[in-house]
Amino acid sequence: SQELEQSPQSLIVQEGKNLTINCTSSKTLYGLYWYKQKYGEGLIFLMMLQKGGEEKSHEKITAKLDEKKQQSSLHITASQPSHAGIYLCGADGGGADGLTFGKGTHLIIQP
Amino acid sequence: KAGVTQTPRYLIKTRGQQVTLSCSPISGHRSVSWYQQTPGQGLQFLFEYFSETQRNKGNFPGRFSGRQFSNSRSEMNVSTLELGDSALYLCASQGYPLGSYNEQFFGPGTRLTVL
């Protein structure tokens, strides 16, 4: 089964700074999802990447899927307090196992 | 468009009881997946329903079951509750089945506490 490892596990960043979260898969990624979760709440869809080399942006968040399709990165530019939360990457292995998720990255933004 | 809704939002049960959780997907979406989230195990896939048929099932005991109705609404049931079933249960909807790589949207979750 597919496993996703996220790094770092937690991150404290000063407001206004940039940051990057990584997601590494044990198998080739065919559909990679990024979500944000506020503690104890549902997941907010951020982006889905499918093609090697693909890059998508939404507001100040950019996600990339590397050409070899085993790693994705999420980059936040000029972080704001609203960016705080848990970022989760999920992989669609083709349907049999649902989405497999990483353990998440806890992001704290310091004013 | 209204998002994915889940009811109830919070639930407290005692060991041995059973519970039914409900999920209404986004209008037009026919795929509903259920996940369990705990601090120790993270997010784990329970099962997926598409057009009233269970397509896939995760590695959970038979006490966990579900169904989907003709209007795509889904319910999951947990029988003979155990303390370890305390978790946030999340439902997600998609227009097409898992494996077709389209956007999957989650509901706010049902927080189940088993005493």
Side-chain angles (χ1 to χ4, degrees):
Chain A
S1 60
Q2 189 164 29
E3 292 184 0
L4 296 177
E5 185 174 333
Q6 285 187 240
S7 62
Q9 288 185 328
S10 61
L11 194 52
I12 302 174
V13 173
Q14 194 172 15
E15 184 177 352
K17 298 294 187 184
N18 303 336
L19 63 106
T20 299
I21 298 168
N22 293 302
C23 176
T24 302
S25 173
S26 60
K27 295 183 178 180
T28 300
L29 292 163
Y30 292 104
L32 188 284
Y33 297 74
W34 282 102
Y35 291 92
K36 177 186 171 185
Q37 185 179 31
K38 291 287 190 182
Y39 296 99
E41 298 181 7
L43 277 63
I44 300 167
F45 175 82
L46 296 175
M47 277 167 276
M48 188 194 78
L49 304 167
Q50 204 175 326
K51 301 172 186 174
E54 187 174 12
E55 180 175 319
K56 287 186 178 179
S57 294
H58 177 67
E59 297 180 345
K60 295 185 178 181
I61 301 176
T62 300
K64 300 177 186 179
L65 183 61
D66 80 356
E67 283 78 7
K68 294 182 180 178
K69 296 179 70 177
Q70 284 200 260
Q71 186 173 50
S72 178
S73 61
L74 186 84
H75 184 78
I76 298 177
T77 304
S79 57
Q80 301 168 347
S82 60
H83 288 131
I86 303 169
Y87 288 81
L88 292 148
C89 64
D92 188 337
D97 301 318
L99 288 194
T100 300
F101 284 90
K103 295 292 187 186
T105 295
H106 294 240
L107 174 62
I108 296 171
I109 306 296
Q110 278 186 336
Chain B
K1 250 186 190 179
V4 181
T5 58
Q6 292 187 245
T7 56
R9 292 293 312 277
Y10 302 92
L11 208 47
I12 299 175
K13 293 285 188 179
T14 56
R15 279 181 296 175
Q17 287 187 310
Q18 75 165 22
V19 66
T20 299
L21 312 181
S22 181
C23 171
S24 292
I26 291 170
S27 179
H29 282 191
R30 295 161 60 194
S31 168
V32 174
S33 299
W34 287 90
Y35 296 83
Q36 180 195 66
Q37 186 177 35
T38 59
Q41 298 299 318
L43 260 172
Q44 292 184 291
F45 173 71
L46 281 158
F47 29 65
E48 180 205 3
Y49 284 88
F50 180 78
S51 294
E52 302 178 65
T53 301
Q54 186 181 88
R55 292 186 70 245
N56 301 293
K57 186 170 167 46
N59 190 23
F60 279 83
R63 299 185 297 107
F64 292 82
S65 62
R67 60 177 175 168
Q68 187 179 34
F69 302 95
S70 58
N71 62 358
S72 295
R73 190 178 69 85
S74 177
E75 289 181 347
M76 70 162 277
N77 184 275
V78 188
S79 62
T80 321
L81 284 166
E82 299 177 0
L83 295 178
D85 297 334
S86 294
L88 181 66
Y89 289 88
L90 293 160
C91 154
S93 85
Q94 281 182 276
Y96 299 94
L98 288 173
S100 52
Y101 311 117
N102 56 112
E103 297 169 352
Q104 185 175 77
F105 298 94
F106 282 77
T110 294
R111 171 72 62 186
L112 172 65
T113 302
V114 182
L115 302 176

